[in-house]
Each structure stands twice: as structure tokens, then as C-alpha cells.
Amino acid sequence: MMIHISPPHQHGGDSIRATMLSVMIALLPATLCAVWLFGWLAVWQIMTCMGVCMLGEWVALRMMARPSRLSDGSAALTGLLLALTLPALVPWWMTVCGSLFAIILGKQLYGGLGYNPFNPALSARVILLISFPLAMTSWLLPAATMPAAVDLYDVTTTLTLFFGGVESLGLTLDGMTAATPLGYIKTDAMQGIAVAASLQAHDYSYFNAFVGNEGGSLGETSALALLIGGILMLARGTIRWHIPVTYIATVAVLAAIFHAVDADRFAPPLFHVLAGGLLLCAFFMATDPVSSPMTVQGHIVFGIGCGLLTWVIRTWGGYPEGAMFAVLLMNCTVPLIDQYCRPRVYGHR
Amino acid sequence: MKLLDVWHKLRGASGFDGGVVLDMHKQTAASPIVDCPLPSVLIHPLKQHIGASCKSLVHVGDTVLRGQKIGKSQGYISAPVHAGTSGRVVRIEEHTVPHPSGLGMPCIFIEADGEDRAVAVGPKLHHWSMEEPAVLRERVRLAGITGLGGAGFPTYVKLLKDQRSPIHTVIINGIECEPWLTHDHRMLCEQSDTMVQGLMLLLHMVGAKRGVIAIEDNKPDAIAAMQEAIEAWYAASEHQKALKLSVQALPTRYPQGSEKQLIQAITGHEVPAGKLPMHIGVLCQNVGSTYAIYQAVTHGHALTERVITVSGDALPKPANMRVRLGTPMRFVFAQCGLEVFDDIQIIHGGPMMGERLKNAEAPVVKATTGLLAMQRDVLLAEHQVEEPCIRCGHCSDVCPVRLVPNLMADFSRQGDFEKAEEYQLFDCIECGCCSNVCPSHIPLVHYFRYGKGQLAQIRKEKSFAEASRQRSEQRAGRMEQEKSEKAARRSRVRAQAKPAVTEDKDA
Amino acid sequence: MESIIYAVLALGGLALLAGITLAIATRVFHVEGNPIADQVDALLPQTQCGQCGYPGCRPYADAVAGDEAEVNHCVPGGERTMLAIAELMGVEPKEVEEEATQPMVAFVREDECIGCTLCIKACPVDAIIGAPKHYHTVIADHCTGCNLCLEPCPVDCIDMLIKPELLEHWSWPLPNTQRAQQGRERRSQHEAA
Ligand code: SF4
Ligand code: SF4
Ligand code: SF4
Ligand code: SF4
């Protein structure tokens, strides 16, 4: 019997692996920055996440008797992304649980690559946040501002920290952690302290926020590194500009309007853009192809929705940071967006 | 909707939406057109166009001349078939043709007598500008010309004049956006004067004033040659200044040469769904067709030869060739140094829209734009894997028709053909951009063809069932009627018989 | 007083408007009252072969619509028809017992035909033409391949031939990739279950 194969007989050469690799390369600056800020601890977190994710994927596919997909790098990327959203200090078993959540609950249960409605890394991160709120909001001080007793660039210290927790070094959390800017302006606001005063009290500087020298998750603090990665992906055509640009712009515009109305209660736009996980989410999470809309119009709607929700949650929500919730919530709306944001077909009215 | 249009304008830098930049492999761009020798036997399939099949006019043993009509067109959308050379009809039988199914159709085999005596389809009309367009159009029909760009739509149908939508622009499509192919490029360079004449002829036939020769900007020599030819024409003829001829260089971007996309790029208008270019006043003709039309009108030549590109990564001596229609592909490849076809995959046409053929036995037909000999393993490796869709949206990005290919493919795969149709499956031009960029190597176009085929089949079955029902109902009605008639007759007979019996008794 | 008039007028106007809208809506969204038997009949292949155990498609459709017959008796219709009827009737799909064979077409060996007209009488769709004492011919385009004409023929001159596969009727199969085939398998398993 003849096997029928349809044209085209020329392929552009793109592949899933190339796509994933290109995202990972784009994450390299943020990863290096995490290592610079949090030393070996970052390395352990990242390695654990990636390793467990890949292992989980392998086992899950094995159990379902499906061909292995490890070589396409999607599990490794999920691991890396998850690691970058974790606080440096989460204990190893939480990291492992999170990675397994990401791969098994977030991805394989839905049918594997291409079928997950939510970004696996983000959904795992949110499960962790809800399950272990304290650990997930204890932000380790970056190495530069760390008390001398703890050397994050020392292998054994970090290993003890990673596996044994803070107590094993005979320290308390208080001495080593600090709130994130979003966190302290929120708590201060509840005590009626104006934004500017709160920022001043915590020695906030835009420069530190830009290079990342402040508390936060491993990979989300440095706006500079994330921007480099984002621009890299845009230049290589891995992602399209619509989601990140509309996302960030929506947050900035909203912040600007409200800041202009009441500067004491609402933080300035630049603060919002540099703070928290916004840039990480805008460039790497919201643009995840599987869980974002298909068409350009869909992307714009999606980006605006993410921006809106992020700012609303940050301003009025219970958590200081809303970017991840916003992206996950918008993930739910993707089928709807896809349904309605279809471009006008050539020749049709 | 207006805003969206502006948006699309901004997005489509090359004048149409989407599209991809391909590796062009135009190795034969500088090879002059050479004549392919005449083979000993020509094979003429009886259907080489879109539309109804032809009926054979000859019998085995008949002698024919080059240009003699051997297949009579049936129906409105059809084109006759002419003998490629003089000789004898040796067989009329089923033979494989360039078609993806690998199936055959009735073909007329002509054994060449080597003399190549020709007969014209009509007198030479060198002063065509004096003739009525209808006369010229009839000539095009008699010459059996179809679109030589690959689709094979009968040309004279496109030339019909419609009072409601007069044609204002004639576009000569010299884009040639398919990789590997260079025959139109060479024609533009070598026959630039004929091209201008042909364009004039087309303008005269449809009564248009504006003529555009569209060429992709990766063929600077062709652009220069055409510009020169047009300038020369303007210098020579003062009285026809009313006509506006121009060469338009367009960015190299596949599928720039697709008729609808080209029209969008040049006029800025889209051909409405379900309509033809003529409905927005545009006529688009391929370079090869223009040449053939000109030859048919001025010399009375039927369409018996065409220029093709023979190339491919497994071909020793690629070339642009003028080939007699009906020449077996094996013969053509032999001219280019390829005799053994192990591990070689033949593609009929370009790599983006051309079909993969089973063997080299099929003949060159009117729709043959090129023949590619590719290394089979390399080609097939591309088609082996299909990974899950990661919804990256690249396919919708590059779709020139602005479809959502991955969803249409999903629906087709799942057998939900109505849904696929709702997503305008039938508007897909099968350009292949989406399959080309898909990182998951999903054979999207294949799914579309499957879906379209299934939909057509379902429709056919439906209408057949409907016709059957009508016939069966008619029959039931007729039987009912017959029965009642019979009963009526019987009762009448009985009624007549009865008195007779009584009378008998009485008597 | 005035305000009452205004109120009445406004309400009346609104009522009128709503009435008109409703009237238009019924026009626009009008659904032909289609008895279920007709709808079932429309899904059947109209081969009229009687393999369902009924004298033709319409009787079978009536039986299905009257809940007297299962949805899986039509052999030529195959799985596709069964699924469509099951969906229409809102019942569980059932497996089709007999596989439909390849499409066939009847052919009269004309030199043997004695012109008895018996096959004409048997053909449910009038696909055979011919006058008494003259040889008969099957109109291939009308023949449904139901075999009903074979039996009555006294000289057995009717053959059932496989319908030739024509290039024009060829259509693309699913791609040969694993994923496409898996999808097909899973679907058929799903439908069988
Ligand atoms: S290009 Fe391929 S993987 Fe990407 S959305 Fe389209 S079909 Fe899916
Ligand atoms: S093949 Fe069809 S769906 Fe794919 S890009 Fe071309 S027109 Fe669009
Ligand atoms: S089996 Fe199907 S095709 Fe044959 S008579 Fe019954 S319903 Fe009609
Ligand atoms: S010709 Fe015979 S097989 Fe064909 S429909 Fe009539 S009775 Fe059935």
C-alpha cells in the first residue's frame, strides 16, 4: 500500500526542543543572577527542581506506556521556571513536592505536553504558596546583605541550609529574611503609612530593584536579567511581543492613574513594574504557548487581563503579589478568548 | 472591522498577512531554457485541468499531427487536449498520472514519427489588436490553455467579460515563490518582449487599462529585463499611452505568488469569499500562461509544450527545460543525468505545494511546473514524527488566509468535520506555511485535505441517498397507482361481467 | 390624567415593540417541525436493501422513531450512520454487527439477458432500464448495490462488481503518523465502549 504524504515537503526546521532550549537560554541571565544573589543555595534549588521534574516526567510517561519526551526539554524548562519562582530558603522536600506537582498535577494529568490548561510551574508554585504560606513568603536576604555568619557562597553551609533548614545553623528566620517591597508597602499601608514613607523606611532604591539586589524569589528580583532574557526571546521569535508589552503596560498605566489620584495609597508605576514577579510572569509565564491564547488578538486580550488582575490583586487582594494568580486566572479564560478572538478570515466580512 | 484592517496592514509588511521566508534553493536561476528532445512515445492524460474530463476523439491506429485536438472538452469548465507531436495513436489505456493518489486515468499514447508536423488551431493573427476580444478568447479556448502555474484552471473562463465587474487591472504573476523553481524567472529574462506583448494582448482582451508585472525582489535581473522591455515599448508606440504598464517588485515571502495573496499585495483588496478575482476587476495570469496565450493568438499554436524546472538535491544536472507535454518524466530526468530512482523521491511541482509521486512513469502535463528529484530519506525523515501541538500559534501567525490551523487540524483528526468547516476549512489554500513552521512537525495540510475529502464524501453520500430516496418514493407511488388502476380495472371487468352472467341465467 | 396616558402609551409602545421583536424572532429562528421518522430517514443511506429486516429505509426509520427497532441494524450505513441515529435518538450507541462491504454496483451481462423485466420490478431505486424482450442495463450512477435484483433474475445474468476506484473520487486518508493513528484508535475504542 502506498503511504500518502501531503506537502509541504520542506520544513522550516523549528522544533519543540529548539523552542524550549531558546527559552532556557533566555532564562540564563536570570539564573546567573540568582546564583549571584543566593549563592549555592540557588544552585541546589534549581538542580533539584529540574532533576525531579525530569524524573517525574519519565516515570509518569513510563507508567502510561507513552514514549519518553525528556529530550524535548519541556520538563527541564518547567523545573527551571519553578525553581526561579521559589524563595531561596524553601526546604528540599517542598521543592521536590512542588516539582512533582508541576509535572504530575500540572501537566501529565491533563494529558501531557500541549494539553495543560495552566502553566505547570505556576500552578505548582501556587499550590505550594497555599499549602505552606510561611515558608513560601520567607524571603532570604541576598548574599551581599546577609549577616556575615552565613556564607551563601559556601557549599556546606548552603547544603545544611537546604536540607536542614535555618534551625540547623542555629539561626532564626528573622535574622536572615526580609520582606519584599510589595510585602512591606502592603503591611505598612494597613497601618496607614504612606507609600513614599514606607519605601523610605525600607531603604528602597530603584537601582537595587533593577539589578535585583532585594528580597524575593530566586529569579524574579532582577529586572535587568529578565529584560535581557525577554528581549532575547523576542529577537529570536520565540515569543511575540503582544503579551509582555500589553501586560506590563496595563499595570503601568493603572498604577500611573491611581498614583496620580492618590500618591499616598498607590505606589508609582515604575515601582510596580520592577517589583515582584511581574517581569518574570510577563516574559516567561504568560507567554507559555500551551496555556496562552493562539492569536494575536487573543494575546492582547490576555495581556491586558493579566495586567488588570495583577494590579487589582496587588492593590486590594490578600496577597502582596498578584502576578502569578493573575496569569493562572487568565489561563482559565484561554478557551473563551480563543473562541472569540479569531481573526477575520481572508475574503470574509 | 476597519480598525482590524488597518491592523492587518501594519502587520503584513509584504502586502499580505503571514507568510514565511524559505530557503529558496534557486540553483537554476541562471541556467538558460534548453529544449528537451522529443521522446519516442508521448502520453496524454484526458484530464489535465480543473473541471470535466475530456472525451477521446481518436482511435488506436489513427495518425495525428502536432496540435491536433485528440481530447474533446466536455462541459463549460474544461479544456481540450492536443497531440504533442505527429505520429500514430498506439494505445488508449489507463496510465499513472501526476496525482497524489497514485491512481491512473485514461491516456492517449502517441508514437512519434519524428517529423513533428504541426497543424494550427487557427490562422495567425498578428494584428490581434484589430480583432474582437471574443474571437481571441475563442482562440485561447481552442488552444486548450489552462493556468500553467500549477492549479490548471481553464484560462478562457478567466478571460470571459462580465458586464457587472469590468476588469481594470491585469497582473502577470512572475513571483515564483516556490523554492527550487526558476522557469518563470528564466521566461521573464529571455522572453521579456513577448511578455510585454502578451500583457498588451490580455489588456486588449479584457478591456483593461492597467497592467502590472509582479516579480519577487530576489530576481533583480528579471525586474531589470522587464523594466527595459516596458520602456522600449513605451518608446516605440506613442499612440497607446493610455495604457499603464509597470513592473512591481515585491518582497520575497512565500506565498506571495498565490493568486489571492498577490492581488491583496498589489491592489490592497481581498477577493471576497466564494468569488473570483474578476469580481473585483482583476485578472491574474501566470507568466507561462501569458506566453502560451500569445503564441496561441499570434501563431495559432495549441498548448503542446511548456517550460519547467528540473531540479532537486538528488539531480546531477538541474536545468530549465522546454518540454513537450506528454513526455514521460523518466525521459526528462534522463536528460538531466538521472536514470536510477532508488532512494529518490520525485516531487511534481515545488516542495511547498507539489505532490510526491510514486514513480517516474507519469507524463509531464499542463500543470507541471517543475520536477524535483529529492533524497528520499531526507524528505521522509521530515514527515515521520508528529508531536503534540504546543499551541505556539506560529501556524496562525504565518497563515496568509488568517485561519487557525491547529484547531482545524484537531477537529479534522477527531472527525468533527462540521466544526472544522465552521473554522473556514474550505478557505485554506493549502499553501503549507503552517506545516512548514510547526515546531511539532504536525502535518497540518494533510489533516486539512483529509477533512475536506471526508466532508466532500459525506456530502456526496448524502446527495446520493437523497436521489435514491426520491427514486424509491417515485417507484412506490407508481406501484401504488398501478395497483389501484389494476384494482379499478378488475372491478370494472367484474362489473361488466356480472350482468352478463345474470342475463345468462335468465336466459 | 396626562401621566396615565403617557404611562399607557409608553407601556403599549413597549409591548408593541416586544411583540414585533418576538414576531421577527419566530420568523428568523423558525425551525421546521420535522417528525423524528423523517430525521432518521434523512440519516439512512437509502440503499433500500432490506438488510435491516425492514422492507426499506423508510420503514426502518419509522420503526426506529417508534422505538421498535435498535439503532444498529442498517448494514450499508455502517458505524457513521449508527452513531448519527444514536445521537438523534439520544440512546447509547451500539456496535454494528455486520461490516459493510466495499461499495458495489450491479452489472447486467447483456448478451445473456432475456429481457424478462423481473429485475426492474425488484430494483427499489429504478436503477435498471430496459424494455420487455430487450436486454436491460443498470444505470451505474443510480445503483445502490443492494443485491435485490440478483435473486429474481431467472438466468443469473447480473453480477455485482466492486465499484472502481476513480481518481476523482479518491480522498486523502488520515496521515500515517503515530499520533493521527492513535487518535483514530482511541476514537474507535471510545465509540465501541
Ligand atoms: S505551529 Fe504547530 S505546535 Fe504551534 S500551534 Fe500550530 S499546530 Fe500547534
Ligand atoms: S495551508 Fe491553509 S491553514 Fe495552513 S497556512 Fe496555508 S492557508 Fe493557512
Ligand atoms: S439496511 Fe439500511 S440501507 Fe438497507 S434498507 Fe435498511 S436502512 Fe435502508
Ligand atoms: S440494480 Fe440491483 S443492486 Fe443496483 S440498486 Fe437496483 S436492485 Fe439494487
Side-chain angles (χ1 to χ4, degrees):
Chain A
M1 204 199 99
M2 184 174 171
I3 293 174
H4 299 285
I5 293 178
S6 132
H9 303 291
Q10 183 166 328
H11 194 274
D14 201 0
S15 69
I16 297 186
R17 194 201 311 210
T19 311
M20 299 294 165
L21 215 62
S22 141
V23 180
M24 280 200 257
I25 290 171
L27 278 172
L28 210 59
T31 312
L32 290 177
C33 194
V35 176
W36 168 59
L37 289 173
F38 301 107
W40 284 103
L41 205 49
V43 177
W44 308 139
Q45 296 284 11
I46 292 169
M47 274 170 47
T48 315
C49 276
M50 291 177 74
V52 173
C53 277
M54 294 206 288
L55 192 74
E57 171 118 331
W58 185 77
V59 172
L61 288 176
R62 201 50 206 258
M63 271 160 54
M64 292 188 285
R66 295 225 188 135
S68 161
R69 312 198 47 89
L70 275 192
S71 60
D72 69 21
S74 61
L77 177 60
T78 301
L80 181 57
L81 275 174
L82 174 63
L84 293 183
T85 61
L86 292 179
L89 213 51
V90 293
W92 67 273
W93 54 270
M94 248 182 239
T95 310
V96 170
C97 284
S99 308
L100 290 177
F101 280 153
I103 287 300
I104 292 168
L105 289 184
K107 184 171 165 194
Q108 295 300 348
L109 272 192
Y110 290 111
L113 180 65
Y115 296 99
N116 44 303
F118 303 106
N119 183 327
L122 264 194
S123 45
R125 148 87 211 215
V126 166
I127 294 176
L128 285 180
L129 178 60
I130 294 170
S131 318
F132 313 105
L134 184 64
M136 290 298 288
T137 47
S138 302
W139 314 100
L140 191 68
L141 286 171
T145 44
M146 189 60 97
V150 189
D151 184 5
L152 288 181
Y153 296 123
D154 180 62
V155 176
T156 36
T157 320
T158 50
L159 274 179
T160 339
L161 259 183
F162 186 47
F163 287 106
V166 189
E167 299 77 25
S168 59
L169 283 181
L171 294 166
T172 55
L173 270 181
D174 287 348
M176 301 169 58
T177 57
T180 61
L182 278 173
Y184 55 70
I185 64 161
K186 180 145 232 162
T187 33
D188 286 357
M190 276 190 262
Q191 290 152 18
I193 302 172
V195 172
S198 160
L199 290 181
Q200 191 125 48
H202 288 85
D203 275 340
Y204 180 82
S205 94
Y206 282 119
F207 178 76
N208 273 346
F210 188 63
V211 296
N213 202 0
E214 62 181 17
S217 300
L218 284 180
E220 70 179 24
T221 52
S222 170
L224 177 65
L226 292 167
L227 272 177
I228 294 176
I231 289 167
L232 208 67
M233 284 202 295
L234 285 172
R236 295 179 47 127
T238 315
I239 59 169
R240 285 168 283 180
W241 58 266
H242 309 84
I243 291 183
V245 169
T246 49
Y247 188 173
I248 296 167
T250 309
V251 172
V253 167
L254 276 175
I257 294 173
F258 279 83
H259 185 67
V261 172
D262 186 351
D264 283 347
R265 280 181 54 212
F266 301 103
L270 189 57
F271 171 83
H272 265 296
V273 170
L274 296 179
L278 175 65
L279 289 178
L280 182 66
C281 277
F283 281 111
F284 293 94
M285 300 293 188
T287 57
D288 167 33
V290 178
S291 52
S292 65
M294 290 279 309
T295 58
V296 166
Q297 290 95 323
H299 278 187
I300 292 172
V301 174
F302 186 79
I304 293 176
C306 285
L308 204 70
L309 285 175
T310 302
W311 188 82
V312 166
I313 296 174
R314 277 183 180 183
T315 313
W316 292 303
Y319 286 93
E321 172 54 313
M324 302 181 182
F325 291 107
V327 173
L328 279 182
L329 282 174
M330 287 310 287
N331 283 165
C332 305
T333 67
V334 164
L336 207 66
I337 295 179
D338 270 346
Q339 172 81 25
Y340 288 105
C341 290
R342 264 150 54 189
R344 182 179 61 82
V345 174
Y346 180 104
H348 286 261
R349 282 288 110 214
Chain B
M1 277 301 117
K2 273 275 130 58
L3 241 176
L4 258 185
D5 284 344
V6 173
W7 167 248
H8 287 307
K9 282 265 157 54
L10 285 176
R11 213 161 66 98
S14 47
F16 67 96
D17 300 87
V20 283
V21 178
L22 300 169
D23 293 341
M24 290 313 260
H25 302 287
K26 303 259 188 192
Q27 296 164 355
T28 46
S31 333
I33 299 169
V34 294
D35 279 316
C36 178
L38 201 59
S40 55
V41 175
L42 290 180
I43 306 165
H44 294 291
L46 279 168
K47 179 174 181 285
Q48 305 187 18
H49 49 262
I50 290 176
S53 180
C54 288
K55 209 175 117 205
S56 169
L57 291 175
V58 290
H59 300 282
V60 174
D62 288 0
T63 51
V64 294
L65 297 172
R66 175 179 184 185
Q68 179 180 337
K69 186 153 85 174
I70 54 174
K72 183 169 177 280
S73 54
Q74 293 183 308
Y76 172 60
I77 298 189
S78 186
V81 176
H82 299 85
T85 185
S86 60
R88 203 168 56 89
V89 177
V90 284
R91 283 199 303 269
I92 301 178
E93 61 182 33
E94 205 146 289
H95 187 77
T96 176
V97 292
H99 190 271
S101 67
L103 296 171
M105 70 159 73
C107 297
I108 298 174
F109 290 64
I110 294 173
E111 196 177 64
D113 59 11
E115 292 170 28
D116 210 18
R117 280 166 296 136
V119 55
V121 292
K124 294 183 175 166
L125 297 175
H126 283 300
H127 302 288
W128 43 261
S129 50
M130 309 292 171
E131 299 286 342
E132 272 298 308
V135 174
L136 304 176
R137 202 155 51 226
E138 181 61 10
R139 174 66 64 85
V140 171
R141 192 179 72 81
L142 288 178
I145 298 173
T146 65
L148 298 188
F153 192 77
T155 297
Y156 85 97
V157 181
K158 287 171 97 176
L159 298 175
L160 290 175
K161 240 185 180 166
D162 188 342
Q163 296 307 332
R164 281 162 302 172
S165 48
I167 292 193
H168 50 74
T169 304
V170 174
I171 301 172
I172 293 200
N173 184 348
I175 296 289
E176 203 164 50
C177 55
E178 277 266 8
W180 298 94
L181 304 187
T182 55
H183 57 282
D184 284 348
H185 181 178
R186 290 314 305 168
M187 284 291 269
L188 287 171
C189 291
E190 294 175 27
Q191 303 282 353
S192 45
D193 292 330
T194 317
M195 279 302 139
V196 175
Q197 290 298 318
L199 178 55
M200 298 294 305
L201 172 59
L202 286 171
L203 289 174
H204 172 65
M205 275 161 102
V206 297
K209 291 268 178 284
R210 177 178 174 220
V212 179
I213 299 169
I215 306 175
E216 241 176 13
D217 60 9
N218 62 352
K219 311 179 202 10
D221 49 343
I223 297 173
M226 288 313 303
Q227 241 144 14
E228 209 170 290
I230 287 181
E231 268 156 34
W233 174 82
Y234 266 123
S237 60
E238 281 126 38
H239 54 286
Q240 277 178 322
K241 283 279 152 63
L243 300 183
K244 260 185 66 199
L245 304 193
S246 62
V247 174
Q248 191 156 342
L250 290 163
T252 304
R253 192 171 182 82
Y254 181 87
Q256 185 74 264
S258 160
E259 190 174 65
K260 288 182 168 178
Q261 275 56 45
L262 182 59
I263 290 172
Q264 188 186 3
I266 288 186
T267 67
H269 296 297
E270 294 179 7
V271 181
K275 294 271 169 77
L276 295 172
M278 65 159 90
H279 294 121
I280 56 167
V282 179
L283 169 70
C284 200
Q285 282 293 345
N286 165 268
V287 165
S289 313
T290 309
Y291 183 79
I293 293 168
Y294 186 74
Q295 294 296 325
V297 168
T298 54
H299 292 88
H301 285 338
L303 181 64
T304 56
E305 63 181 17
R306 65 159 300 153
V307 179
I308 67 172
T309 300
V310 192
S311 190
D313 59 4
L315 194 72
K317 289 184 289 181
N320 294 304
M321 282 189 174
R322 182 171 289 109
V323 183
R324 209 57 71 82
L325 296 181
T327 308
M329 291 178 188
R330 183 178 289 278
F331 184 84
V332 178
F333 279 122
Q335 307 308 311
C336 299
L338 183 71
E339 312 254 357
V340 187
F341 291 90
D342 304 339
D343 305 323
I344 282 180
Q345 179 62 60
I346 298 169
I347 294 175
H348 179 254
M352 292 301 284
M353 292 184 76
E355 302 296 347
R356 187 173 158 266
L357 296 187
K358 202 163 55 171
N359 54 38
E361 306 313 322
V364 169
V365 295
K366 292 176 186 173
T368 308
T369 50
L371 295 176
L372 304 183
M374 309 294 269
Q375 280 161 12
R376 182 175 282 149
D377 337 339
V378 181
L379 194 88
L380 291 193
E382 294 276 290
H383 291 293
Q384 298 285 292
V385 278
E386 177 189 344
E387 298 192 78
C389 167
I390 55 168
R391 294 174 38 89
C392 61
H394 290 339
C395 50
S396 4
D397 270 1
V398 298
C399 179
V401 191
R402 298 191 295 265
L403 298 166
V404 191
N406 67 327
L407 295 184
M408 296 196 316
D410 275 351
F411 295 137
S412 298
R413 187 190 303 112
Q414 292 155 8
D416 194 351
F417 306 116
E418 283 78 24
K419 194 87 200 247
E421 198 184 359
E422 208 178 283
Y423 276 68
Q424 315 295 3
L425 177 60
F426 282 101
D427 282 282
C428 165
I429 56 169
E430 299 186 4
C431 65
C433 290
C434 50
S435 300
N436 179 272
V437 298
C438 176
S440 297
H441 288 250
I442 299 174
L444 294 157
V445 175
H446 197 140
Y447 283 114
F448 303 154
R449 293 180 163 190
Y450 169 70
K452 288 180 185 175
Q454 293 296 308
L455 274 168
Q457 202 131 332
I458 291 171
R459 296 235 163 100
K460 212 170 61 199
E461 279 169 19
K462 261 237 167 78
S463 69
F464 183 69
E466 190 49 44
S468 300
R469 183 202 345 269
Q470 273 169 14
R471 275 194 295 276
S472 117
E473 273 165 12
Q474 272 167 17
R475 177 171 177 274
R478 206 180 53 228
M479 301 228 307
E480 195 68 22
Q481 202 182 345
E482 270 170 22
K483 216 198 255 162
S484 59
E485 270 172 18
K486 215 178 252 171
R489 219 178 312 140
R490 207 175 293 140
S491 62
R492 224 179 307 134
V493 169
R494 211 171 288 147
Q496 280 172 359
K498 239 183 192 160
V501 173
T502 30
E503 263 176 31
D504 236 355
K505 244 187 191 165
D506 277 353
Chain C
M1 191 61 213
E2 212 171 307
S3 58
I4 293 179
I5 293 176
Y6 278 134
V8 167
L9 276 183
L11 277 178
L14 272 178
L16 198 69
L17 209 72
I20 292 171
T21 318
L22 272 178
I24 293 173
T26 42
R27 278 284 163 77
V28 173
F29 302 112
H30 180 67
V31 182
E32 275 298 330
N34 201 356
I36 292 184
D38 281 352
Q39 292 179 30
V40 177
D41 196 34
L43 297 173
L44 293 171
Q46 305 298 328
T47 313
Q48 315 292 357
C49 61
Q51 288 179 73
C52 48
Y54 292 84
C57 297
R58 181 72 214 197
Y60 177 52
D62 289 337
V64 171
D67 274 342
E68 291 155 28
E70 298 281 7
V71 293
N72 62 343
H73 290 325
C74 176
V75 178
E79 190 166 279
R80 188 139 85 199
T81 305
M82 181 276 294
L83 287 173
I85 304 177
E87 192 182 312
L88 175 70
M89 299 298 297
V91 298
E92 283 293 305
K94 287 199 138 184
E95 203 160 347
V96 184
E97 284 128 18
E98 266 177 88
E99 267 303 306
T101 48
Q102 267 176 301
M104 305 291 256
V105 59
F107 176 76
V108 177
R109 292 197 299 278
E110 292 174 349
D111 40 351
E112 289 170 40
C113 173
I114 55 172
C116 68
T117 73
L118 288 175
C119 56
I120 297 190
K121 297 210 179 81
C123 178
V125 291
D126 285 345
I128 308 182
I129 47 170
K133 307 262 165 56
H134 289 81
Y135 66 69
H136 294 10
T137 314
V138 175
I139 310 170
D141 284 349
H142 290 184
C143 173
T144 62
C146 69
N147 292 347
L148 291 180
C149 51
L150 300 188
E151 228 253 282
C153 180
V155 291
D156 275 346
C157 72
I158 305 182
D159 289 330
M160 294 306 290
L161 308 177
I162 295 175
K163 263 199 177 172
E165 192 183 14
L166 287 180
L167 190 127
E168 291 91 58
H169 298 164
W170 179 82
S171 77
W172 281 84
L174 264 177
N176 205 44
T177 57
Q178 218 184 0
R179 181 156 176 257
Q181 301 299 333
Q182 264 174 3
R184 187 212 296 262
E185 273 163 33
R186 236 176 272 148
R187 188 161 69 244
S188 52
Q189 275 168 14
H190 178 75
E191 278 162 7

